[in-house]
Amino acid sequence: MEKKNIDWSSLGFSYMKTDWRYSRIWEDGQWKEGGLTDKAEVTISECAGVLQYAQTGFEGLKVYETVKGEVVAFRPDLNAERLQGTCDRLIMPKISTEDFLAALDELVKANLAYVPPYGSGASLYIRPFIYGCGPVIGVAPAPSYEFRMFCTPVGAYFKGGVKPIRIMLSDFDRAAPHGTGHIKAGLNYAMSLYAGEMAHKLGYNENMYLDAATRTYVEETGGANFIFITKDGKKLVTPKSDSILPSITRRSLTVVAKDYLGLEVEERPVAFSEVPSFAEVGLCGTAAVISPVGEIHTKDGDIKVPSGMAEMGPVLTKLRETITGIQMGTVEAPEGWIHRIC
């Protein structure tokens, strides 16, 4: 299929309407037949559960054109599983992994003209979500739901691509113990907007959040997990907490670090007091893959990460090159990581 006339290399991380999206309704205790629609707008009750009580969860994954010209998705089965966990926590009906993958295939095949070409640095971002569309006035789960999946071509998440960014230590809490920090719920991201806008106004790209209970351990940012590299370059450390979202990118990077680069991997609580001792600091997630951090602002002074503000550090660079190579087909992938669409 002929590609759309898009300047792929200049794409940012923003929404572009594509031709088709997938929709499926749950009502009367079951999922109805789903399918493609060309309507990008939704019509719901003014009393819909999503509007009254924020009953919605979402996912994010990317589709790539590989060096061989195949169109593939990176570990979408894990996105399906994570969405199912979100649905359990928010009392929403779950979409099966099989149905999730079938919707993904149908959506991408219908929008192949929007899949960025190999080597462009861009990808097709997929946004699946479920929300309560039925009316509910008392505090209770909605009576009906819509599962929807759309796609949009995107470039780098942060302006400047993979250049080191400046973040700040936030005075706000991202998630409470025994709360919803471990699921991809819309309400979690709504809670991060105020702090995020404050950081941006002060000239920082993101926030670093600490644990809400003691404010001594690193958790994550508003939309990405942290990874740290020790000064000897031999160990990757990532924070462990029940209120951190289980990033698919982060989980994949730990495998790449151990099995491809021979690094030692530690997933454990990371005290904020340890941060200055690391040689490299990175944010990782579907949107950014890895974004290096060069500086962390605190009220007690700025932490200058040794890898600096000029470029990504050597270990994070190898990690990023390896995982993107797996996604693009230039590096052999572990079994089951690549879902071929066409």
Side-chain angles (χ1 to χ4, degrees):
M1 179 179 291
E2 184 178 352
K3 302 285 187 184
K4 294 289 184 178
N5 184 22
I6 296 172
D7 184 0
W8 308 104
S9 62
S10 67
L11 286 173
F13 198 84
S14 58
Y15 173 75
M16 176 188 295
K17 180 181 175 182
T18 54
D19 295 338
W20 299 95
R21 63 275 312 135
Y22 183 92
S23 172
R24 191 174 183 184
I25 297 295
W26 187 93
E27 58 186 2
D28 300 324
Q30 63 182 344
W31 286 106
K32 307 300 183 182
E33 190 70 27
L36 297 174
T37 174
D38 61 355
K39 292 180 173 56
E41 296 76 29
V42 296
T43 301
I44 56 176
S45 167
E46 63 184 349
C47 199
V50 64
L51 300 179
Q52 303 307 316
Y53 303 117
Q55 199 181 15
T56 180
F58 70 98
E59 277 298 319
L61 63 145
K62 287 181 177 179
V63 165
Y64 309 87
E65 183 175 278
T66 71
V67 66
K68 295 180 180 179
E70 296 178 334
V71 175
V72 305
F74 182 70
R75 309 192 77 180
D77 55 313
L78 297 188
N79 293 98
E81 291 173 10
R82 192 168 61 182
L83 184 59
Q84 290 156 11
T86 298
C87 288
D88 279 338
R89 184 65 173 80
L90 297 182
I91 318 295
M92 300 191 296
K94 294 186 288 189
I95 194 85
S96 71
T97 300
E98 180 182 7
D99 288 347
F100 183 99
L101 295 178
L104 171 65
D105 291 353
E106 190 172 354
L107 172 72
V108 174
K109 288 177 181 178
N111 290 289
L112 279 177
Y114 290 95
V115 178
Y118 171 78
S120 64
S123 58
L124 187 69
Y125 184 78
I126 312 296
R127 172 54 59 87
F129 61 102
I130 297 178
Y131 68 97
C133 57
V136 54
I137 195 67
V139 180
S144 56
Y145 299 83
E146 181 180 17
F147 168 65
R148 201 168 176 95
M149 186 184 291
F150 67 84
C151 61
T152 184
V154 297
Y157 187 74
F158 292 111
K159 293 180 180 179
V162 295
K163 292 291 185 181
I165 61 173
R166 301 169 70 237
I167 66 175
M168 65 177 288
L169 184 66
S170 181
D171 290 331
F172 296 92
D173 296 326
R174 177 192 159 270
H178 313 297
T180 58
H182 64 293
I183 64 171
K184 208 165 175 68
L187 57 92
N188 291 341
Y189 293 78
M191 292 296 290
S192 74
L193 292 178
Y194 182 85
E197 283 301 297
M198 181 178 292
H200 296 159
K201 287 178 181 178
L202 293 173
Y204 299 96
N205 298 92
E206 254 291 6
N207 283 292
M208 172 183 277
Y209 293 101
L210 303 181
D211 72 290
T214 70
R215 295 194 58 78
T216 56
Y217 292 96
V218 176
E219 293 243 307
E220 57 177 308
T221 70
N225 285 186
F226 277 102
I227 52 175
F228 303 99
I229 305 299
T230 55
K231 285 188 176 178
D232 61 7
K234 297 180 179 180
K235 185 184 295 184
L236 181 150
V237 180
T238 186
K240 183 177 183 179
S241 165
D242 291 338
S243 54
I244 290 177
L245 185 75
S247 164
I248 294 166
T249 303
R250 188 256 300 162
R251 285 182 277 167
S252 301
L253 284 169
T254 59
V255 175
V256 169
K258 183 179 179 180
D259 295 347
Y260 286 72
L261 303 184
L263 301 179
E264 184 180 347
V265 173
E266 284 186 356
E267 183 180 358
R268 60 172 176 79
V270 177
F272 177 70
S273 59
E274 290 183 69
V275 173
S277 69
F278 293 114
E280 300 177 48
V281 178
L283 311 183
C284 64
T286 297
V289 186
I290 299 177
S291 287
V293 175
E295 184 178 303
I296 303 168
H297 173 71
T298 80
K299 290 181 177 179
D300 297 323
D302 293 342
I303 297 172
K304 307 287 186 180
V305 180
S307 55
M309 287 296 297
E311 58 185 10
M312 182 181 286
V315 179
L316 291 185
T317 296
K318 290 179 182 177
L319 280 168
R320 192 178 194 281
E321 288 175 348
T322 305
I323 198 167
T324 55
I326 289 170
Q327 293 165 341
M328 298 293 180
T330 59
V331 175
E332 185 175 356
E335 184 177 353
W337 278 27
I338 300 300
H339 173 75
R340 185 178 182 275
I341 297 172
C342 60

